[in-house]
Each structure stands twice: as structure tokens, then as C-alpha cells.
Amino acid sequence: MSKESLEFHWGKHHRAYVDNLNKQIVGTELDGLPLEDVVRRTYNKGDSLPAFNNAAQIWNHDFFWGSMKPDGGGKPSGELLEMIEKDFGSYEKFITDFKAAAATQFGAGWAWLAYKEEDKKLVILKSSNAVNPLVQGQDYTPILTIDVWEHSYYIDYRNRRPDYISVFVEKLVSWEAVSSRLEKAKA
């Protein structure tokens, strides 16, 4: 990710969500709540309230930034790799499926790797706009995400979303962060 992409994505888009949410909730019952609670309350069973988009986009972006590190990528290890191989058949199949989910998310949205508590397995989810696993059912705990809104890749890749997705997986994913999130989800 280039410096220019990061400056626009984090410094302008993400910052605007924060500024807009702060204006929307000041003096309301949402003011002072943890961000996850604001996301869940404003989703309102799919009939989202005005603050939802900003709150969820802040949460999604915070999670996205935490999914990456410089010189990331490669292959995970330990329990995470074992679960990926068990639940997807192989690491390579998981990568193919994750890339496909991200590439085929129509319009703006996200692709997620989540732990599904009920089945005790990893699953890939897609969500449009600001929707995330926090509101897709209590059963899903996200452990990895990729932002596939155009603002996340257009400066560096123009309309080549698959190239951006490949670089994200091969050079940016922090498997340590994903493993830590998995441990917490299973606890």
C-alpha cells in the first residue's frame, strides 16, 4: 500500500467516519458507549439508524488496519493453519476462496474470515457497505478482513481489485494478529 493510498484511506476516509459519528451521537444515548455497542444498537435488525454506517465503518477499518503489518503475508502456522486446512481442505484452497469472496463482492464491501462458534470452524463471509460479522449473527467472530471498497485500492491499482487482493494476502496479512483473534474467539 502506497503512502498516498494510506494517507487518503486512513487520513481522509477513516477520519471522516470518526468525525461524522462523533457529530451524530454527541448528547445521545449512544455517546460514550463502546464502538461495538454503537454498531450493534444502530444496526437495528437491518433497519439501520443514521449512525450505523459511520460506526460500522470505523469498526471495520480499525479491524482492517489490525489485520495487516509491514512484510506480512506468507503462511500462518500452528492452530490457525491446522483449522484452515481442516475447514477448507488446504491453505491454498482457503486463499483461493478468500480471494474469490473479496473479488466477487459486488460494489463496496468486505470479505471476512470468521470463527463460527456453533460449528467450531472457520468460514468466509462477504458483506456489503458497512455490514460486518458483528451484526450478521452472534455466532460469527471475525478474525481477518479485507476492505474492497474502491477507496482501498483505486490509487494504487485503479480497477484491478484482484491485484490488490493478491498483494494484501501475499504481503500484508498479519497472521499473528489473526491467530490471536482466533484464540480469543475460541476462549
Side-chain angles (χ1 to χ4, degrees):
M1 184 178 298
S2 70
K3 178 181 177 188
E4 184 182 15
S5 280
L6 184 60
E7 287 172 347
F8 273 91
H9 195 169
W10 179 78
K12 298 206 182 295
H13 288 280
H14 190 166
R15 181 81 238 159
Y17 299 134
V18 172
D19 292 344
N20 290 334
L21 178 65
N22 286 336
K23 289 175 194 168
Q24 286 176 309
I25 68 171
V26 69
T28 72
E29 71 282 353
L30 301 171
D31 199 356
L33 289 178
L35 185 57
E36 286 187 10
D37 290 349
V38 175
V39 170
R40 287 185 177 109
R41 288 183 186 194
T42 58
Y43 186 62
N44 196 31
K45 298 182 177 108
D47 183 18
S48 59
L49 302 175
F52 172 76
N53 286 324
N54 287 308
Q57 284 294 73
I58 295 165
W59 191 91
N60 292 355
H61 279 87
D62 287 348
F63 199 86
F64 173 64
W65 303 126
S67 294
M68 295 183 284
K69 70 175 190 172
D71 301 317
K75 195 172 185 176
S77 59
E79 182 181 17
L80 175 60
L81 180 59
E82 290 171 15
M83 285 191 72
I84 286 172
E85 289 174 341
K86 176 182 68 74
D87 296 336
F88 296 98
S90 70
Y91 172 74
E92 292 75 18
K93 176 80 165 87
F94 158 71
I95 291 297
T96 298
D97 292 354
F98 188 75
K99 285 180 173 183
T104 61
Q105 169 55 46
F106 182 76
W110 304 82
W112 305 85
L113 176 63
Y115 178 69
K116 187 172 183 189
E117 175 64 33
E118 180 181 335
D119 300 333
K120 308 248 184 277
K121 66 183 267 182
L122 298 175
V123 295
I124 295 170
L125 305 170
K126 298 192 297 187
S127 64
S128 60
N129 300 315
V131 174
N132 62 45
L134 295 179
V135 298
Q136 288 180 310
Q138 296 291 10
D139 221 21
Y140 298 109
T141 303
I143 63 172
L144 172 68
T145 195
I146 182 172
D147 183 347
V148 292
W149 284 64
E150 283 185 342
H151 67 244
S152 63
Y153 60 87
Y154 204 79
I155 290 171
D156 295 336
Y157 298 96
R158 300 294 183 243
N159 63 342
R160 298 183 327 271
R161 185 191 284 188
D163 292 348
Y164 155 74
I165 295 165
S166 290
V167 168
F168 175 83
V169 170
E170 294 164 14
K171 299 185 184 296
L172 292 174
V173 171
S174 171
W175 290 116
E176 296 83 2
V178 178
S179 291
S180 175
R181 291 168 175 168
L182 176 61
E183 284 179 36
K184 290 177 187 168
K186 292 179 71 181

